[in-house]
Amino acid sequence: MPTVSVIIPVYKSMDVLETAVQSVLKQSFEDFELLLIEDGSPDGSLDLCRRLAANDARIRVYHKENGGICSARNYGMSLATGKYIAFLDHDDEYLPGYLSDHIALLENYQADVVKFERVKEKHALDGTVTILHGSRICKMPGMQDGVACYQGEEIAARFPEIREAAKTMYIWDGIYRRDFLRQNHLVFDESFRFGHEDMMLNLEILSAAQAMVFHTGEYYKHKYRESTSTSATFDRARVADSIRVAKRESRLLADWGYPPEQILYSYMNALFVTMNILCLPGADCSRKTKKELLENFRKETVGQMEYLSEAVKKLFRIKKLHGILAWLFMKKQYTICLAAFRVYFRLTNSGTEVSS
């Protein structure tokens, strides 16, 4: 049994897969299996997977009918034999030490999960490339020599800090104990087809984990391409999925006993994500449709809250930007909300990564 199983979903990967695979093979930690899950790609990706596997016995290739990235990842998880499971998207890269440093942390702390920073390499439609460095995990409480470990009820108590380090809402910026995932039936929801699946699974992981380690080092290169990324495309289902995640997070906060203003803050974070979807260049729906989508978001989230006005006041005192947004949203000032978001995004997304 290898120590760790690395899962790469493969779909239309001819130009990028070999770089991703080599970033795993070059890791100093060698006790791994690399599962290439070819998800019914219409190009020559399956042949490429087989050629790569012929050169390294640690690579295992599986072919399945196309079912999307969640289906491919779940299939890989069902086949994994390692003590730990890690993920890599077919067009991204592991950085040096990804496996060795974090297997050591998982073993040292007997943790269910380890999370770490990543570098975002943003490829814009005009051909420009911007490098964005994560800088939020270092601000989490309890850091000593770049490492913090939260255990038991402390995970719930530290949820605001964990959520503020927004990169914990991805799946590939972490390594997970396989038995922990299986015992808690933690898999990807295959009904998500346009993103948000990472966020939903991470919420379930947070609700079940007994020990989580956070590390400030950058170990993953995420290559964001506006031309191909699902997060750069508009679909009404993406707004519906954002609502689903927001409602799950609010239930989790309520179960943990958080006050209404913290739940409202969570909804406003989800609203940032939704407005980003509506402001994409490809979001060619009318202003009326955008307002209708935001109205539905309001009804499904803050519209269900009791004592909303009081929660808005309290949120404004602790998070002014989110408080202002919540007040505008409560008053159904959707046009102003969208305009303000565009200004905010331009001001804050110019060099250091910003996620809400």
Side-chain angles (χ1 to χ4, degrees), residues 192 199-200 203-204 239-255 263 266-267 270 296-304:
F192 285 89
M199 296 179 69
M200 184 65 88
L203 289 173
E204 304 303 338
V239 178
D241 289 344
S242 179
I243 293 172
R244 290 170 62 192
V245 173
K247 293 172 74 171
R248 177 65 184 103
E249 186 169 322
S250 71
R251 290 195 303 272
L252 188 60
L253 289 168
D255 290 344
I263 294 174
S266 170
Y267 280 146
N296 184 59
F297 184 98
R298 188 192 66 80
K299 288 180 178 179
E300 292 289 326
T301 57
V302 299
Q304 304 293 319

Side-chain angles (χ1 to χ4, degrees), residues 40-300:
S41 183
D43 59 6
S45 291
L46 181 57
D47 289 337
L48 174 58
C49 289
R50 289 169 174 164
R51 289 198 300 272
L52 293 169
N55 296 320
D56 197 305
R58 294 170 298 180
I59 301 176
R60 295 161 54 193
V61 179
Y62 297 92
H63 167 72
K64 61 182 289 296
E65 292 185 4
N66 179 253
I69 192 169
C70 293
S71 173
R73 286 171 173 167
N74 283 340
Y75 188 56
M77 290 166 69
S78 72
L79 297 166
T81 63
K83 182 178 180 181
Y84 301 104
I85 290 179
F87 298 91
L88 174 61
D89 282 358
H90 65 188
D91 54 349
D92 291 344
E93 296 178 45
Y94 282 177
L95 299 177
Y98 182 106
L99 293 177
S100 60
D101 290 3
H102 296 111
I103 296 299
L105 286 172
L106 285 161
E107 294 285 336
N108 184 48
Y109 288 94
Q110 292 296 292
D112 298 317
V113 183
V114 61
K115 288 280 190 174
F116 36 86
E117 291 283 9
R118 75 3 175 106
V119 177
K120 184 175 182 179
E121 186 178 279
K122 182 178 179 181
H123 296 251
L125 293 174
D126 63 5
T128 59
V129 178
T130 305
I131 303 298
L132 306 174
H133 294 276
S135 60
R136 293 197 173 184
I137 287 182
C138 65
K139 300 174 184 177
M140 297 176 71
M143 282 288 167
Q144 293 186 353
D145 299 323
V147 177
C149 180
Y150 301 153
Q151 297 183 338
E153 294 181 357
E154 189 179 10
I155 295 173
R158 292 296 190 189
F159 179 79
E161 290 89 348
I162 294 172
R163 187 64 178 90
E164 192 70 18
K167 289 157 289 302
T168 62
M169 292 294 106
Y170 292 97
I171 201 66
W172 33 251
D173 61 354
I175 301 179
Y176 313 84
R177 187 166 59 84
R178 181 167 64 98
D179 284 349
F180 159 72
L181 295 175
R182 290 192 172 182
Q183 289 164 7
N184 291 282
H185 309 289
L186 297 174
V187 295
F188 292 92
D189 183 337
E190 296 183 17
S191 66
F192 285 89
R193 304 287 290 188
F194 298 96
H196 301 293
E197 75 284 345
D198 290 23
M199 296 179 69
M200 184 65 88
L201 182 56
N202 269 291
L203 289 173
E204 304 303 338
I205 287 170
L206 282 164
S207 70
Q210 291 302 306
M212 296 186 69
V213 177
F214 297 88
H215 189 198
T216 59
E218 294 178 335
Y219 288 90
Y220 189 99
K221 182 184 287 187
H222 172 48
K223 300 175 184 178
Y224 174 84
R225 296 174 174 84
E226 289 186 346
S227 60
T228 58
S229 175
T230 56
S231 62
T233 58
F234 172 76
D235 192 284
R236 293 175 70 103
R238 289 189 64 201
V239 178
D241 289 344
S242 179
I243 293 172
R244 290 170 62 192
V245 173
K247 293 172 74 171
R248 177 65 184 103
E249 186 169 322
S250 71
R251 290 195 303 272
L252 188 60
L253 289 168
D255 290 344
W256 282 339
Y258 277 93
E261 60 269 23
Q262 184 63 51
I263 294 174
L264 180 60
Y265 177 65
S266 170
Y267 280 146
M268 290 304 99
N269 281 332
L271 180 59
F272 271 90
V273 174
T274 299
M275 289 195 296
N276 183 62
I277 296 168
L278 296 178
C279 291
L280 288 167
D284 55 356
C285 57
S286 67
R287 181 178 299 181
K288 179 182 177 181
T289 299
K290 291 179 181 180
K291 288 182 177 180
E292 289 173 352
L293 290 169
L294 288 175
E295 172 62 14
N296 184 59
F297 184 98
R298 188 192 66 80
K299 288 180 178 179
E300 292 289 326

Side-chain angles (χ1 to χ4, degrees), residues 14-34:
M14 289 295 294
D15 297 332
V16 294
L17 180 62
E18 188 163 3
T19 299
V21 168
Q22 289 300 324
S23 75
V24 180
L25 300 181
K26 291 177 182 177
Q27 293 288 305
S28 60
F29 188 91
E30 298 181 344
D31 186 22
F32 62 81
E33 62 177 359
L34 176 54

